[in-house]
Amino acid sequence: MHPLEQRLGYTFRQTAFLQEALTHPSVGHERQRHHQDNQRLEFLGDAVLQLVITEYLYSHFPREREGRLTKLRARLVSRDALKTHAQGLDLGRHLLMGRGEESSGGRERTSTLADAFEAIIGAIYLDSDFATARDFILRQTREALDQVLDRPIDVNPKGQLQETLQGIAMQGPSYEMISATGPEHAKTFVVEVRWGERSLGRGSGGSKQAAEIEAARDALARQLWAKDKNKSENPAADQD
């Protein structure tokens, strides 16, 4: 048994599918000859993942319109979301890749991990059937799906925060990068969201945009502007 199969909760009948799913394109590039990599399986796995998540949302949100369902799906199948699932399986450690790709941080790269996760889905689908692949996807994404059920409105935190604050005063929020640490291929950004001179929240992420989203989400949870709702349209009246 491959050491990854226990984490996957699935044992392959044809181990060649698993081997292919774990092979990064850089292997063939480095050897300068054709080598079966995981890109075709990633293409297939992406389609299976999209269908499973779409079916789940359609069943669990019978009153939501198409536009909102599309946004929910985008949140669940984003590159960052898939990277999180891949990290939970420790996929990076099991990938076969060229030395150049590995030395440049390939095992932690968002696109690499997201592609590998989708390739694993494609491999399971080909090795078994749709129902088995569906069970794997729902098992791996359970926490994210539960969060969507708990917070279906939290699709665009930045937009929601902008709308909320401009409903109180004409001025919207601004975002300020506090720090960017770590190596170039795996930086962590910390961003603060401000309203006038007031700090409303902070967030961190693998990109400035992701950190801004988390900062907006933090601000929505804290709602520090609530005390200003009956004040003038100048949100900078108080300072933390």
Side-chain angles (χ1 to χ4, degrees):
M1 175 183 286
H2 191 283
L4 180 60
E5 289 178 312
Q6 186 173 359
R7 279 185 173 271
L8 295 177
Y10 179 80
T11 302
F12 280 85
R13 298 177 179 87
Q14 299 184 55
T15 57
F17 285 133
L18 177 59
Q19 185 78 6
E20 183 179 337
L22 295 175
T23 302
H24 188 269
S26 61
V27 173
H29 297 160
E30 195 165 277
R31 296 177 182 178
Q32 296 186 340
R33 61 183 176 83
H34 176 72
H35 195 94
Q36 197 75 9
D37 59 47
N38 64 8
Q39 294 300 283
R40 284 172 55 84
L41 282 176
E42 179 267 327
F43 171 77
L44 176 61
D46 174 68
V48 176
L49 174 66
Q50 293 276 347
L51 177 56
V52 169
I53 296 301
T54 300
E55 179 189 55
Y56 180 91
L57 294 174
Y58 183 86
S59 299
H60 286 77
F61 294 94
R63 297 182 180 179
E64 290 289 0
R65 299 182 66 84
E66 178 268 343
R68 178 55 60 86
L69 292 175
T70 298
K71 290 179 180 179
L72 287 171
R73 183 179 61 192
R75 168 178 159 187
L76 290 166
V77 301
S78 69
R79 298 280 91 183
D80 284 339
L82 300 187
K83 176 185 178 181
T84 298
H85 302 322
Q87 289 174 326
L89 294 169
D90 199 18
L91 283 186
R93 183 166 68 90
H94 297 282
L95 292 176
L96 303 174
M97 59 178 56
R99 286 175 293 181
E101 179 69 17
E102 182 169 9
S103 65
S104 66
R107 293 190 186 279
E108 294 82 35
R109 188 167 288 119
T110 298
S111 59
T112 298
L113 292 175
D115 285 354
F117 183 74
E118 290 179 325
I120 288 290
I121 293 172
I124 291 175
Y125 171 76
L126 289 179
D127 192 62
S128 55
D129 51 33
F130 177 75
T132 303
R134 180 180 184 274
D135 288 345
F136 171 77
I137 292 168
L138 294 180
R139 191 167 63 248
Q140 295 301 320
T141 60
R142 174 53 53 195
E143 183 177 347
L145 292 173
D146 288 344
Q147 289 177 357
V148 165
L149 289 175
D150 291 339
R151 299 188 303 178
I153 304 303
D154 187 17
V155 177
N156 180 10
K158 289 182 67 177
Q160 188 178 347
L161 181 62
Q162 177 97 3
E163 182 178 346
T164 299
L165 296 180
Q166 289 189 336
I168 301 171
M170 293 301 294
Q171 183 175 350
S174 62
Y175 296 85
E176 178 182 343
M177 189 168 71
I178 302 301
S179 65
T181 58
E184 284 299 321
H185 64 272
K187 280 188 176 297
T188 297
F189 297 85
V190 176
V191 167
E192 181 177 69
V193 57
R194 303 187 67 84
W195 194 36
E197 296 184 16
R198 167 166 291 180
S199 173
L200 297 183
R202 285 194 178 192
S204 62
S207 67
K208 185 179 178 182
Q209 181 181 16
E212 288 179 355
I213 290 173
E214 290 305 314
R217 185 172 286 130
D218 182 46
L220 288 168
R222 298 170 69 188
Q223 297 190 18
L224 297 180
W225 62 82
K227 66 182 69 174
D228 291 337
K229 282 189 176 181
N230 296 321
K231 292 187 178 182
S232 69
E233 292 190 349
N234 177 17
D238 292 334
Q239 183 174 351
D240 280 353

